[in-house]
Amino acid sequence: MSIAIVRHTAPLDDCNDPTERLPVTMCARDLPATRNLAPHSHPWGQLTYALDGVLRVTVADGTWIVPPSRAIWIAPHVEHAVVVLEEARLRPLRILAGRSPFPGAACQVLAVSGLLRELIAALEQQPPGVQTARTDLVCDLILDEMARCATRPIRVPLPRDKRLGALCAALIAEPAAALTLAGWAARVGASERTLARLFERELGMSFGQWRQQVRLAHAAPLIARGMPLGRVAEQLGYASQSAFSQMFRKTFGSSPSALFAPARAGGQR
């Protein structure tokens, strides 16, 4: 008997929580677009992963776009929320706190290797709550492979300052806006110099770099649903498709089509 699949966002019971005997377990949800998992936390760590579809995962200081080629590690007790941007088959792993593959509370974005993907598929086919020699091997290999996966985040850090927060919220809502930092300063009631300083201090990057991350994050669900790259570039304020593709490859080490190929293939099944 494989893992049971649910199709709702209500809290799941604790029958499949990780234990010393079974340090890696799985829950499975198939959810349509725009469904939300409200902010929550749990005593185990979680690898948030979807076989197909696109997710947005948000914690206190940032938000990430997660296509099928990526997964995000969320440490124990870290509050997080999940929004399904494109219909997704979620297969998050629950990992016992004492077996965390990453130190500290920082989120980690993983480039999901072919081996990790197959190990997750193998775990899904195991009877839940039953320890066997095979599940022991699969769990140990999952933890080992997670620690080896390279990270390339699609992350948009979020500020705490209210003035900067107003600017960021407006730009997230309208990523193609062409306003300069001076133009935004006039809108939010702070000087251009103050905003520039806040971007560097709170978000660790310039206004231009942050806006670039926002635009690339917005591109993710558009590409996943098959929108032509030329239209994506136009909607997000890029001068051309080639300019958009070049920036995407520079940021993520992959072309847009390569990064989101699993999502489009998933939609065609």
Side-chain angles (χ1 to χ4, degrees):
M1 181 180 67
S2 59
I3 298 293
I5 299 172
V6 299
R7 293 175 173 79
H8 59 74
T9 56
L12 300 177
D13 62 37
D14 61 0
C15 65
N16 206 26
D17 290 355
T19 63
E20 291 287 350
R21 186 171 57 87
L22 289 171
V24 181
T25 61
M26 176 186 289
C27 58
R29 298 180 192 262
D30 288 357
L31 297 176
T34 72
R35 295 300 295 272
N36 300 344
L37 291 167
H40 64 285
S41 64
H42 26 64
W44 59 82
Q46 179 170 293
L47 185 72
T48 299
Y49 171 70
L51 299 175
D52 49 43
V54 180
L55 311 175
R56 182 171 67 236
V57 178
T58 301
V59 298
D61 62 349
T63 185
W64 289 262
I65 301 298
V66 187
S69 58
R70 300 289 186 264
I72 182 167
W73 164 255
I74 301 167
H77 305 293
V78 172
E79 186 173 82
H80 57 283
V82 180
V83 174
V84 180
L85 299 177
E86 287 294 315
E87 182 176 355
R89 293 187 293 157
L90 281 71
R91 299 298 184 267
L93 302 181
R94 301 174 173 186
I95 296 174
L96 190 70
R99 298 291 300 275
S100 169
F102 304 105
C107 292
Q108 302 282 343
V109 178
L110 280 61
V112 179
S113 66
L115 176 57
L116 182 56
R117 186 176 299 110
E118 292 304 320
L119 288 167
I120 292 172
L123 185 63
E124 183 179 358
Q125 298 307 311
Q126 301 307 302
V130 178
Q131 182 186 23
T132 65
R134 180 175 175 80
T135 57
D136 288 345
L137 290 170
V138 170
C139 290
D140 286 345
L141 281 171
I142 284 174
L143 294 171
D144 183 75
E145 186 66 10
M146 282 177 60
R148 296 171 184 268
C149 288
T151 60
R152 283 189 178 272
I154 306 178
R155 177 179 182 256
V156 178
L158 300 176
R160 298 184 183 277
D161 182 272
K162 290 183 179 180
R163 295 163 296 178
L164 193 59
L167 186 165
C168 292
L171 195 51
I172 287 172
E174 190 182 354
L179 278 178
T180 63
L181 189 58
W184 285 110
R187 281 196 180 189
V188 302
S191 71
E192 181 180 1
R193 179 177 295 180
T194 295
L195 289 178
R197 186 168 58 248
L198 286 170
F199 266 104
E200 292 292 348
R201 187 179 73 198
E202 294 212 3
L203 304 179
M205 61 184 71
S206 69
F207 165 71
Q209 290 169 327
W210 187 85
R211 180 171 60 184
Q212 198 73 58
Q213 289 293 97
V214 170
R215 288 177 172 178
L216 291 172
H218 271 269
L222 302 179
I223 298 169
R225 39 177 103 110
M227 180 180 288
L229 293 183
R231 285 186 59 199
V232 174
E234 181 182 358
Q235 287 197 16
L236 296 177
Y238 287 89
S240 65
Q241 177 180 329
S242 61
F244 166 71
S245 296
Q246 182 179 10
M247 180 55 64
F248 199 100
R249 184 182 292 275
K250 179 180 177 182
T251 304
F252 304 120
S254 172
S255 69
S257 57
L259 185 63
F260 289 93
R264 290 198 299 277
Q268 293 170 354
R269 277 192 299 272

